[in-house]
Amino acid sequence: FTPGGSDVPFSLSDYQRSRARETAGDLDASRFHFQILFVDNDNFHGRIAEGMLAKIAEYNDALCTLFPYSATVTEILSESKATMLDSAAPEGAVEICDLLGLCSTTCSEDGTSFNLSYLDQYDLIIALDEDIQSLILRSLPPDSRYENKCRVMSEFSSIDFCGIQNKNGNMTDKALQDMIEPELWERAMPFYDLAKESSSSLISDSKTTQSSNNDDYIHQPRMVLSESGAAVPNQAGWPLVEASMLVACGGITRFCLDTMDAQFDVAFQSLLNLHFNKREHLDDYSVERADDQLRLGSLSVTGCFSPKERHARIEKHFNELRAKFS
């Protein structure tokens, strides 16, 4: 997909969907889980994003499906040299994780330096901003083909991106919001319209404020008064960044779970097409016997579906065969 091609006007939604399809195509659900690595350059935002995703994954019964981690990138990337100035957990990050009810052990651990070998070890690399993504990709050979699995966190705030595999068609804002547990959603809700439109520069710009005065950055009021005296979301400091990261983590969860479901849907249909494709199969197999046949050598696929789901899919396939041969 080429943005703004000569014959087709540029569509941001189409562009985001195209990039999402590329990333989904590079993920492999056959291991029944995805390992996701957040990469920052401050040993601060990545560990919070890791905790947020773990919390949202747990809320969506995906604690054993999505495994988040975090690492910090340096200005020099190589497989033999990767160091950080200070790997200790920043006090501000630990304070935020405690406030949000995130895993205290994960949040307080020493940071990990990013290594280019992680591109092979993790299913999805999520850079906290575009500068970090660019640094990673510039460190790779031109033909490395890792770009599809190295995305910017803000991309997942878009329902066009994270909803690409949604079975019900276009994803809705409500569906994305429902991914976030109620207590966290209450914190993100006032900022949602701002968060879903935020760019990666939101986090990179916030680092200037953070580094100059960490307390001011973290302890900004969530709401402020406008010139007319109305309470409006505060767009300075941590509250908006927090909301944007929560929305993006909800999008990441939805994207990964939908991608996994879509891949197993295709795999199960391929089994049906392979084993049952002739007229005589309709006479030789009941739904129950067909299910037993599929499960003999394909538990890695059939095990992802309940007996009720398998039987419904087999029945549908048999009905399509009857229509084909009638």
Side-chain angles (χ1 to χ4, degrees):
F1 179 85
T2 303
S6 57
D7 297 327
V8 181
F10 174 70
S11 166
L12 179 59
S13 295
D14 289 344
Y15 179 60
Q16 290 171 331
R17 293 189 187 104
S18 175
R19 290 177 65 82
R21 290 189 190 95
E22 292 169 351
T23 297
D26 269 16
L27 294 178
D28 179 9
S30 63
R31 293 181 295 116
F32 300 98
H33 71 270
F34 293 135
Q35 297 188 91
I36 302 165
L37 181 69
F38 292 99
V39 185
D40 64 19
N41 60 2
D42 58 6
N43 193 26
F44 184 94
H45 292 85
R47 64 175 65 238
I48 297 173
E50 176 186 350
M52 286 178 172
L53 183 58
K55 185 85 169 179
I56 292 173
E58 181 179 13
Y59 177 69
N60 290 277
D61 296 325
L63 198 58
C64 295
T65 305
L66 305 181
F67 294 88
Y69 304 88
S70 61
T72 295
V73 76
T74 59
E75 291 301 318
I76 300 175
L77 278 178
S78 69
E79 295 190 6
S80 60
K81 181 178 181 180
T83 60
M84 287 190 300
L85 296 177
D86 185 5
S87 63
E91 291 182 6
V94 175
E95 180 182 347
I96 289 171
C97 290
D98 182 62
L99 178 65
L100 297 178
L102 309 183
C103 176
S104 58
T105 302
T106 299
C107 294
S108 59
E109 288 179 342
D110 285 352
T112 301
S113 294
F114 178 79
N115 191 293
L116 289 177
S117 65
Y118 292 168
L119 288 161
D120 290 319
Q121 296 178 31
Y122 292 89
D123 298 286
L124 193 58
I125 307 291
I126 300 179
L128 268 288
D129 62 43
E130 289 179 353
D131 290 341
I132 297 170
Q133 181 197 44
S134 178
L135 177 61
I136 294 172
L137 295 180
R138 288 201 314 267
S139 305
L140 298 169
D143 58 348
S144 62
R145 301 178 64 84
Y146 284 112
E147 182 178 1
N148 291 342
K149 68 183 298 182
C150 182
R151 291 304 192 198
V152 180
M153 188 174 188
S154 60
E155 291 184 277
F156 293 91
S157 298
S158 163
I159 58 176
D160 290 316
F161 189 101
C162 67
I164 190 62
Q165 303 279 15
N166 192 269
K167 295 180 180 179
N168 299 320
N170 293 333
M171 187 173 177
T172 63
D173 287 323
K174 180 66 164 56
L176 175 55
Q177 295 162 13
D178 287 345
M179 300 300 298
I180 306 172
E181 71 167 41
E183 288 184 6
L184 294 180
W185 170 241
E186 284 184 9
R187 299 180 64 86
M189 179 173 60
F191 302 88
Y192 179 70
D193 288 338
L194 296 168
K196 70 177 183 177
E197 301 295 338
S198 66
S199 68
S200 69
S201 62
L202 176 65
I203 292 179
S204 57
D205 290 346
S206 74
K207 292 173 186 174
T208 303
T209 306
Q210 174 197 354
S211 59
S212 61
N213 193 326
N214 200 53
D215 284 340
D216 285 350
Y217 174 72
I218 294 173
H219 298 116
Q220 283 284 330
R222 304 187 68 77
M223 306 295 288
V224 295
L225 293 178
S226 66
E227 293 182 357
S228 63
V232 296
N234 184 9
Q235 299 187 38
W238 172 251
L240 177 55
V241 175
E242 173 189 284
S244 299
M245 291 173 63
L246 284 170
V247 171
C249 284
I252 292 166
T253 304
R254 183 73 278 153
F255 174 83
C256 289
L257 295 181
D258 283 352
T259 296
M260 184 166 290
D261 287 345
Q263 290 191 14
F264 280 112
D265 284 345
V266 171
F268 193 88
Q269 187 59 48
S270 295
L271 285 176
L272 290 172
N273 294 338
L274 177 64
H275 288 275
F276 311 112
N277 50 51
K278 299 178 181 179
R279 184 191 298 272
E280 52 264 33
H281 291 155
L282 296 172
D283 300 323
D284 294 343
Y285 288 91
S286 64
V287 170
E288 291 74 15
R289 187 185 171 204
D291 187 29
D292 291 340
Q293 177 70 24
L294 291 177
R295 287 172 57 78
L296 283 176
S298 306
L299 283 174
S300 61
V301 175
T302 58
C304 293
F305 303 91
S306 70
K308 183 178 179 180
E309 289 174 320
R310 293 195 306 271
H311 290 179
R313 289 167 185 265
I314 295 169
E315 183 65 44
K316 180 175 181 290
H317 181 70
F318 280 1
N319 288 336
E320 291 173 350
L321 275 183
R322 290 188 186 97
K324 177 181 177 180
F325 292 120
S326 63

